[in-house]
Amino acid sequence: KQQDSESLSEIREAVAILDELEQEILEMRIAEALSFRQIAELLESKEDTIKKRYYRALEKVKKKTDHVE
């Protein structure tokens, strides 16, 4: 449990380094389970742009938490 708590804390810290839009896209995609098309419509953006920002944001989080198992 301690390790899970530390891992979650590191993930939260990594997400906190993202800009506000990246955080919003991650939340909409992961927590709210919205499609890229739905997110694009809500944010008045192109679907491809949302996908690129989403995957870049995931990569940033992954790099920041790479040592977390």
Side-chain angles (χ1 to χ4, degrees), residues 27-38:
E27 181 178 336
M28 293 171 104
R29 181 71 177 159
I30 297 169
E32 299 176 27
L34 297 179
S35 70
F36 288 117
R37 177 175 289 161
Q38 291 170 313

Side-chain angles (χ1 to χ4, degrees), residues 27-67:
E27 181 178 336
M28 293 171 104
R29 181 71 177 159
I30 297 169
E32 299 176 27
L34 297 179
S35 70
F36 288 117
R37 177 175 289 161
Q38 291 170 313
I39 297 168
E41 289 173 4
L42 288 169
L43 298 179
E44 299 178 352
S45 185
K46 294 180 181 179
E47 188 175 344
D48 284 343
T49 301
I50 297 299
K51 285 180 184 178
K52 287 175 189 172
R53 290 192 69 107
Y54 173 78
Y55 288 113
R56 278 192 211 131
L58 279 183
E59 191 61 31
K60 287 179 186 178
V61 170
K62 183 180 176 191
K63 284 181 181 177
K64 182 79 172 163
T65 60
D66 204 22
H67 64 283

